């Protein structure tokens, strides 16, 4: 997994305090939209626990670590501002795009 860093990044929002997220590279490199994301307990002090996907990934795609990057939470929020209101939610939580906004996924 590669790491993207933010140089001189400034934000008036809290994501900069979150640290890093794990992101499908297509959301960064190809400008695809976030269709699904969740927060789990973090793996380290720098990890926010957030994981972001297009929502169209196959299991084969997800199983390859090279398809994901460790990315600055604040920089991801700058690229995809619609996620900003949700980044303060505590783990565990799952969200998906539904019609015109993100909604919390109800678990059975």
């Amino acid at each position: 997994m590669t790491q993207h860093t933010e140089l001189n990044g400034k934000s008036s929002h809290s994501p900069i305090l979150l640290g890093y997220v794990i992101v499908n590279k297509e959301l960064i490199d190809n400008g695809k939209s976030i269709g699904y994301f969740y927060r789990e307990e973090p793996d380290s002090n720098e990890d926010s626990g957030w994981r972001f996907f297009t929502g169209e990934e196959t299991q084969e795609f997800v199983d390859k670590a090279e398809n994901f990057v460790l990315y600055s939470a604040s920089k991801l929020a700058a690229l995809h501002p619609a996620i900003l209101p949700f980044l303060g939610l505590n783990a565990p939580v799952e969200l998906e795009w539904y019609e015109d906004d993100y909604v919390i996924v109800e678990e059975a």
Side-chain angles (χ1 to χ4, degrees), residues 84-105:
L84 195 54
F86 306 101
L87 295 180
L89 295 174
N90 293 322
V93 66
E94 297 177 54
L95 297 101
E96 66 182 15
W97 185 256
Y98 180 74
E99 293 183 4
D100 62 351
D101 201 1
Y102 291 106
V103 295
I104 294 176
V105 177

mmCIF file of all heavy atoms in Angstrom, residues 84-105:
data_model
loop_
_atom_site.group_PDB
_atom_site.id
_atom_site.type_symbol
_atom_site.label_atom_id
_atom_site.label_comp_id
_atom_site.label_asym_id
_atom_site.label_seq_id
_atom_site.Cartn_x
_atom_site.Cartn_y
_atom_site.Cartn_z
ATOM 1 N N LEU A 84 -17.819 15.013 4.142
ATOM 2 C CA LEU A 84 -17.408 15.813 5.288
ATOM 3 C C LEU A 84 -18.350 15.741 6.489
ATOM 4 O O LEU A 84 -17.887 15.537 7.609
ATOM 5 C CB LEU A 84 -17.213 17.265 4.848
ATOM 6 C CG LEU A 84 -16.460 18.181 5.783
ATOM 7 C CD1 LEU A 84 -15.103 17.612 6.167
ATOM 8 C CD2 LEU A 84 -16.301 19.542 5.152
ATOM 9 N N PRO A 85 -19.667 15.836 6.312
ATOM 10 C CA PRO A 85 -20.554 15.799 7.485
ATOM 11 C C PRO A 85 -20.536 14.471 8.246
ATOM 12 O O PRO A 85 -20.988 14.412 9.385
ATOM 13 C CB PRO A 85 -21.944 16.036 6.894
ATOM 14 C CG PRO A 85 -21.727 16.611 5.553
ATOM 15 C CD PRO A 85 -20.406 16.106 5.083
ATOM 16 N N PHE A 86 -20.009 13.425 7.639
ATOM 17 C CA PHE A 86 -20.073 12.096 8.236
ATOM 18 C C PHE A 86 -18.786 11.669 8.924
ATOM 19 O O PHE A 86 -18.763 10.676 9.650
ATOM 20 C CB PHE A 86 -20.454 11.067 7.165
ATOM 21 C CG PHE A 86 -21.711 11.427 6.451
ATOM 22 C CD1 PHE A 86 -21.673 12.009 5.200
ATOM 23 C CD2 PHE A 86 -22.946 11.231 7.055
ATOM 24 C CE1 PHE A 86 -22.851 12.373 4.548
ATOM 25 C CE2 PHE A 86 -24.128 11.581 6.416
ATOM 26 C CZ PHE A 86 -24.071 12.157 5.152
ATOM 27 N N LEU A 87 -17.709 12.403 8.710
ATOM 28 C CA LEU A 87 -16.403 11.969 9.214
ATOM 29 C C LEU A 87 -16.280 11.996 10.728
ATOM 30 O O LEU A 87 -15.375 11.388 11.279
ATOM 31 C CB LEU A 87 -15.285 12.780 8.556
ATOM 32 C CG LEU A 87 -15.134 12.564 7.057
ATOM 33 C CD1 LEU A 87 -13.995 13.412 6.505
ATOM 34 C CD2 LEU A 87 -14.926 11.096 6.726
ATOM 35 N N GLY A 88 -17.193 12.637 11.403
ATOM 36 C CA GLY A 88 -17.172 12.657 12.863
ATOM 37 C C GLY A 88 -17.914 11.491 13.493
ATOM 38 O O GLY A 88 -17.910 11.348 14.716
ATOM 39 N N LEU A 89 -18.541 10.638 12.677
ATOM 40 C CA LEU A 89 -19.270 9.491 13.210
ATOM 41 C C LEU A 89 -18.305 8.487 13.825
ATOM 42 O O LEU A 89 -17.206 8.271 13.320
ATOM 43 C CB LEU A 89 -20.080 8.813 12.107
ATOM 44 C CG LEU A 89 -21.218 9.646 11.506
ATOM 45 C CD1 LEU A 89 -21.839 8.909 10.328
ATOM 46 C CD2 LEU A 89 -22.263 9.958 12.554
ATOM 47 N N ASN A 90 -18.729 7.872 14.901
ATOM 48 C CA ASN A 90 -17.909 6.873 15.584
ATOM 49 C C ASN A 90 -18.055 5.500 14.934
ATOM 50 O O ASN A 90 -19.094 5.177 14.368
ATOM 51 C CB ASN A 90 -18.317 6.776 17.054
ATOM 52 C CG ASN A 90 -17.983 8.031 17.813
ATOM 53 O OD1 ASN A 90 -16.956 8.657 17.588
ATOM 54 N ND2 ASN A 90 -18.858 8.415 18.721
ATOM 55 N N ALA A 91 -17.018 4.699 15.074
ATOM 56 C CA ALA A 91 -17.037 3.314 14.605
ATOM 57 C C ALA A 91 -17.854 2.480 15.581
ATOM 58 O O ALA A 91 -17.893 2.797 16.771
ATOM 59 C CB ALA A 91 -15.611 2.781 14.526
ATOM 60 N N PRO A 92 -18.510 1.466 15.088
ATOM 61 C CA PRO A 92 -18.634 1.062 13.691
ATOM 62 C C PRO A 92 -19.814 1.758 13.021
ATOM 63 O O PRO A 92 -20.855 1.956 13.640
ATOM 64 C CB PRO A 92 -18.887 -0.436 13.792
ATOM 65 C CG PRO A 92 -19.641 -0.601 15.080
ATOM 66 C CD PRO A 92 -19.092 0.471 16.000
ATOM 67 N N VAL A 93 -19.619 2.122 11.764
ATOM 68 C CA VAL A 93 -20.688 2.724 10.967
ATOM 69 C C VAL A 93 -20.404 2.475 9.490
ATOM 70 O O VAL A 93 -19.244 2.400 9.089
ATOM 71 C CB VAL A 93 -20.833 4.240 11.267
ATOM 72 C CG1 VAL A 93 -19.616 5.012 10.819
ATOM 73 C CG2 VAL A 93 -22.101 4.809 10.671
ATOM 74 N N GLU A 94 -21.467 2.293 8.715
ATOM 75 C CA GLU A 94 -21.371 2.105 7.268
ATOM 76 C C GLU A 94 -22.312 3.080 6.588
ATOM 77 O O GLU A 94 -23.430 3.282 7.060
ATOM 78 C CB GLU A 94 -21.801 0.694 6.862
ATOM 79 C CG GLU A 94 -20.960 -0.420 7.395
ATOM 80 C CD GLU A 94 -21.513 -1.774 6.981
ATOM 81 O OE1 GLU A 94 -21.723 -1.998 5.770
ATOM 82 O OE2 GLU A 94 -21.758 -2.596 7.872
ATOM 83 N N LEU A 95 -21.861 3.642 5.464
ATOM 84 C CA LEU A 95 -22.698 4.559 4.692
ATOM 85 C C LEU A 95 -22.618 4.194 3.220
ATOM 86 O O LEU A 95 -21.597 3.697 2.741
ATOM 87 C CB LEU A 95 -22.246 5.999 4.875
ATOM 88 C CG LEU A 95 -22.349 6.534 6.296
ATOM 89 C CD1 LEU A 95 -21.005 6.516 6.968
ATOM 90 C CD2 LEU A 95 -22.955 7.904 6.309
ATOM 91 N N GLU A 96 -23.700 4.486 2.509
ATOM 92 C CA GLU A 96 -23.684 4.292 1.058
ATOM 93 C C GLU A 96 -24.465 5.417 0.400
ATOM 94 O O GLU A 96 -25.290 6.082 1.024
ATOM 95 C CB GLU A 96 -24.257 2.935 0.671
ATOM 96 C CG GLU A 96 -25.707 2.752 0.958
ATOM 97 C CD GLU A 96 -26.211 1.358 0.588
ATOM 98 O OE1 GLU A 96 -25.405 0.445 0.380
ATOM 99 O OE2 GLU A 96 -27.438 1.212 0.518
ATOM 100 N N TRP A 97 -24.142 5.629 -0.878
ATOM 101 C CA TRP A 97 -24.819 6.648 -1.654
ATOM 102 C C TRP A 97 -26.196 6.128 -2.015
ATOM 103 O O TRP A 97 -26.346 5.016 -2.515
ATOM 104 C CB TRP A 97 -24.021 6.968 -2.915
ATOM 105 C CG TRP A 97 -24.611 8.097 -3.687
ATOM 106 C CD1 TRP A 97 -25.339 7.999 -4.833
ATOM 107 C CD2 TRP A 97 -24.522 9.487 -3.388
ATOM 108 N NE1 TRP A 97 -25.718 9.241 -5.261
ATOM 109 C CE2 TRP A 97 -25.229 10.185 -4.380
ATOM 110 C CE3 TRP A 97 -23.928 10.209 -2.361
ATOM 111 C CZ2 TRP A 97 -25.342 11.569 -4.386
ATOM 112 C CZ3 TRP A 97 -24.041 11.590 -2.375
ATOM 113 C CH2 TRP A 97 -24.738 12.249 -3.376
ATOM 114 N N TYR A 98 -27.208 6.938 -1.736
ATOM 115 C CA TYR A 98 -28.577 6.566 -2.066
ATOM 116 C C TYR A 98 -29.277 7.796 -2.635
ATOM 117 O O TYR A 98 -29.431 8.796 -1.937
ATOM 118 C CB TYR A 98 -29.319 6.056 -0.835
ATOM 119 C CG TYR A 98 -30.737 5.655 -1.129
ATOM 120 C CD1 TYR A 98 -31.009 4.480 -1.823
ATOM 121 C CD2 TYR A 98 -31.792 6.454 -0.735
ATOM 122 C CE1 TYR A 98 -32.318 4.111 -2.113
ATOM 123 C CE2 TYR A 98 -33.101 6.097 -1.016
ATOM 124 C CZ TYR A 98 -33.353 4.920 -1.709
ATOM 125 O OH TYR A 98 -34.645 4.568 -1.999
ATOM 126 N N GLU A 99 -29.632 7.719 -3.902
ATOM 127 C CA GLU A 99 -30.296 8.788 -4.649
ATOM 128 C C GLU A 99 -29.436 10.046 -4.712
ATOM 129 O O GLU A 99 -28.707 10.228 -5.657
ATOM 130 C CB GLU A 99 -31.692 9.051 -4.118
ATOM 131 C CG GLU A 99 -32.623 7.887 -4.373
ATOM 132 C CD GLU A 99 -34.047 8.129 -3.919
ATOM 133 O OE1 GLU A 99 -34.366 9.246 -3.456
ATOM 134 O OE2 GLU A 99 -34.837 7.190 -4.039
ATOM 135 N N ASP A 100 -29.480 10.915 -3.702
ATOM 136 C CA ASP A 100 -28.721 12.158 -3.794
ATOM 137 C C ASP A 100 -27.958 12.500 -2.516
ATOM 138 O O ASP A 100 -27.558 13.643 -2.310
ATOM 139 C CB ASP A 100 -29.632 13.316 -4.186
ATOM 140 C CG ASP A 100 -30.732 13.571 -3.160
ATOM 141 O OD1 ASP A 100 -30.884 12.754 -2.241
ATOM 142 O OD2 ASP A 100 -31.420 14.591 -3.284
ATOM 143 N N ASP A 101 -27.737 11.503 -1.662
ATOM 144 C CA ASP A 101 -27.002 11.753 -0.418
ATOM 145 C C ASP A 101 -26.516 10.431 0.152
ATOM 146 O O ASP A 101 -26.954 9.357 -0.258
ATOM 147 C CB ASP A 101 -27.899 12.453 0.600
ATOM 148 C CG ASP A 101 -27.118 13.179 1.687
ATOM 149 O OD1 ASP A 101 -25.864 13.169 1.661
ATOM 150 O OD2 ASP A 101 -27.766 13.765 2.564
ATOM 151 N N TYR A 102 -25.627 10.508 1.125
ATOM 152 C CA TYR A 102 -25.176 9.320 1.832
ATOM 153 C C TYR A 102 -26.144 9.013 2.956
ATOM 154 O O TYR A 102 -26.657 9.917 3.620
ATOM 155 C CB TYR A 102 -23.761 9.514 2.398
ATOM 156 C CG TYR A 102 -22.728 9.592 1.313
ATOM 157 C CD1 TYR A 102 -22.126 10.797 0.974
ATOM 158 C CD2 TYR A 102 -22.368 8.460 0.590
ATOM 159 C CE1 TYR A 102 -21.193 10.865 -0.025
ATOM 160 C CE2 TYR A 102 -21.433 8.528 -0.423
ATOM 161 C CZ TYR A 102 -20.847 9.731 -0.724
ATOM 162 O OH TYR A 102 -19.924 9.797 -1.737
ATOM 163 N N VAL A 103 -26.395 7.726 3.151
ATOM 164 C CA VAL A 103 -27.256 7.280 4.227
ATOM 165 C C VAL A 103 -26.531 6.194 5.025
ATOM 166 O O VAL A 103 -25.717 5.456 4.485
ATOM 167 C CB VAL A 103 -28.610 6.720 3.710
ATOM 168 C CG1 VAL A 103 -29.420 7.814 3.048
ATOM 169 C CG2 VAL A 103 -28.400 5.561 2.767
ATOM 170 N N ILE A 104 -26.849 6.124 6.295
ATOM 171 C CA ILE A 104 -26.275 5.070 7.128
ATOM 172 C C ILE A 104 -26.939 3.764 6.770
ATOM 173 O O ILE A 104 -28.171 3.683 6.659
ATOM 174 C CB ILE A 104 -26.452 5.406 8.620
ATOM 175 C CG1 ILE A 104 -25.623 6.651 8.960
ATOM 176 C CG2 ILE A 104 -26.049 4.222 9.502
ATOM 177 C CD1 ILE A 104 -25.778 7.138 10.376
ATOM 178 N N VAL A 105 -26.131 2.747 6.564
ATOM 179 C CA VAL A 105 -26.630 1.415 6.205
ATOM 180 C C VAL A 105 -27.180 0.751 7.471
ATOM 181 O O VAL A 105 -26.500 0.693 8.488
ATOM 182 C CB VAL A 105 -25.506 0.544 5.611
ATOM 183 C CG1 VAL A 105 -26.005 -0.861 5.318
ATOM 184 C CG2 VAL A 105 -24.938 1.199 4.356
#
